[in-house]
């Protein structure tokens, strides 16, 4: 009888050990690089108009890399952006309402990290029939902060209903936004040894935009990134004849890897700007394609290349140039 009891005790101990080993092997920590990304930091939220809020955060460093950021309004996921993006406008909100936002990072293996700290923003009261834009921001100034950031300041605008936000532009591209009570900001994610030209515009609750301020030219300090790698790669071009009898040039390329998403390209044909291409939805991240009309004559040769407008508002380098001939037989 004692032998049977001893056997049962040993069996129970073995089963307990096996259960503990199974639980340990099923843990989510994994080994080495198997941890989920951390919570995003530096999260801010500011009303952009009576129906929108601008949310920004700092990039999360993780291994594997961050593939996607998820933006939540309360417990509801309202936006999802590529891992290269660190700001978003949440739209279709209600006027005069307080909202709370958090951000989570998801890595390329599908692991979802914890939520950021909660940030809040209140949309202003909607204003009916407001067609009066704010005044131009005055006396903008700036200074560089190392090789990848600048600090900007300006005199506040006035508006008959109140300024809700200020938009910061580099060239013709909006790259940053702050609340209407703020007249200074730091713009990050810039390239070393690069000349920039910043302007500021004020926005009211009805989305009326002021004229742009005078430009502030600044050049970032030299750094390890000299701007190489900003050109589209693996660029290819060929022609085809459409059902309408006309000829088209078909382009394909890999977008440049930048700190942010690329949504705009400029196509150069025979040494001259031919057209601009802007993605209104989700821009391709791995390979992009585009086709455009060039005429109805066979035997016409063309030189074509393209460049991307980078997230910091500057134009990147041109791709390699390709020569194509309409109607030319291809292998």
């Amino acid at each position: 009888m004692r032998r049977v009891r001893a056997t049962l005790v040993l069996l129970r101990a073995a089963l307990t050990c096996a259960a503990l080993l199974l639980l340990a092997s099923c843990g989510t920590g994994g080994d080495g690089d198997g941890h989920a990304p951390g919570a995003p930091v530096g999260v801010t939220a500011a009303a952009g108009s009576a129906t929108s809020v601008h949310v920004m955060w700092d990039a999360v460093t993780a291994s594997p890399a961050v593939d996607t950021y998820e933006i939540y309004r309360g417990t509801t996921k309202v936006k999802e952006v590529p891992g290269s993006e660190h700001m978003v406008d949440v739209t279709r909100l209600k006027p005069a309402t307080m909202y709370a936002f958090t951000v989570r990072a998801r890595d390329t293996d599908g692991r979802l990290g914890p939520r950021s700290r909660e940030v809040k923003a209140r949309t202003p009261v909607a204003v009916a029939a407001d067609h009066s834009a704010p005044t131009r921001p005055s006396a903008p100034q700036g200074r560089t902060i190392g090789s990848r950031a600048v600090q900007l300041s300006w005199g506040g605008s006035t508006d008959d209903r109140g300024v809700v936000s200020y938009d910061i532009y580099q060239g013709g591209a909006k790259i940053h936004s702050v609340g209407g009570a703020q007249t200074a900001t730091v713009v990050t994610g810039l390239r070393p040894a690069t000349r920039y030209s910043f302007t500021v515009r004020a926005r009211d609750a009805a989305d009326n935009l002021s004229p742009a301020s005078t430009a502030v030219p600044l050049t970032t300090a030299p750094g390890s990134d000299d701007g190489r790698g900003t050109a589209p790669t693996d660029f290819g071009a060929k022609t085809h004849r459409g059902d309408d009898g006309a000829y088209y040039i078909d382009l394909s390329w890999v977008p440049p890897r930048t700190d942010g998403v690329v949504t705009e390209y400029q196509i150069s044909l025979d040494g001259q700007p031919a057209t601009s291409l802007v993605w209104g939805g989700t821009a391709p991240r791995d390979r992009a394609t585009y086709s455009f009309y060039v005429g109805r004559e066979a035997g016409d040769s063309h030189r074509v290349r393209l460049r991307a407008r980078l997230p910091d508002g500057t134009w990147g380098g041109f791709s390699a140039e390709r020569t194509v001939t309409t109607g030319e037989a291809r292998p």
Side-chain angles (χ1 to χ4, degrees), residues 129-134 159-160 201-210:
D130 179 9
H131 302 294
S132 177
D159 184 76
D160 57 348
R201 301 182 72 179
R203 184 188 299 270
D204 66 16
D207 270 337
N208 296 311
L209 272 175
S210 76

Side-chain angles (χ1 to χ4, degrees), residues 124-246:
V125 175
V127 179
D130 179 9
H131 302 294
S132 177
T135 61
R136 183 196 311 267
S138 62
Q141 302 178 54
R143 66 181 183 91
T144 58
I145 307 174
S147 61
R148 294 184 179 273
V150 299
Q151 184 180 52
L152 301 172
S153 63
W154 57 92
S157 299
T158 59
D159 184 76
D160 57 348
R161 309 293 176 87
V163 173
V164 173
S165 63
Y166 290 97
D167 296 338
I168 291 84
Y169 290 77
Q170 200 301 117
K174 175 185 171 182
I175 62 171
H176 197 59
S177 183
V178 298
Q182 192 170 331
T183 55
T185 190
V186 173
V187 179
T188 60
L190 305 179
R191 288 187 289 153
T194 302
R195 182 174 176 81
Y196 292 93
S197 179
F198 299 98
T199 54
V200 184
R201 301 182 72 179
R203 184 188 299 270
D204 66 16
D207 270 337
N208 296 311
L209 272 175
S210 76
S213 70
T214 55
V216 179
L218 293 170
T219 300
T220 50
S224 59
D225 178 3
D226 60 3
R228 288 177 297 183
T230 63
T233 57
D234 197 17
F235 179 60
K238 61 182 181 179
T239 65
H240 81 272
R241 190 176 188 183
D243 294 338
D244 57 357

Side-chain angles (χ1 to χ4, degrees), residues 8-23:
L8 289 173
V9 169
L10 289 173
L11 179 59
R12 286 171 183 167
L15 289 172
T16 300
C17 182
L20 290 172
L21 288 173
L22 180 60
L23 287 172

Side-chain angles (χ1 to χ4, degrees), residues 29-49:
D31 57 6
D33 295 333
H35 296 286
V41 298
V43 183
T44 61
S49 70

Side-chain angles (χ1 to χ4, degrees), residues 3-81:
R3 183 177 300 173
V4 171
R5 288 177 178 172
T7 301
L8 289 173
V9 169
L10 289 173
L11 179 59
R12 286 171 183 167
L15 289 172
T16 300
C17 182
L20 290 172
L21 288 173
L22 180 60
L23 287 172
S25 67
C26 293
T28 58
D31 57 6
D33 295 333
H35 296 286
V41 298
V43 183
T44 61
S49 70
T51 58
S52 68
V53 168
H54 189 75
V55 182
M56 295 187 292
W57 59 93
D58 295 338
V60 173
T61 301
S63 180
V66 172
D67 178 72
T68 305
Y69 289 103
E70 297 182 355
I71 297 86
Y72 291 80
R73 186 189 68 234
T75 59
T76 303
K77 184 171 76 172
V78 292
K79 287 278 186 175
E80 189 172 290
V81 299

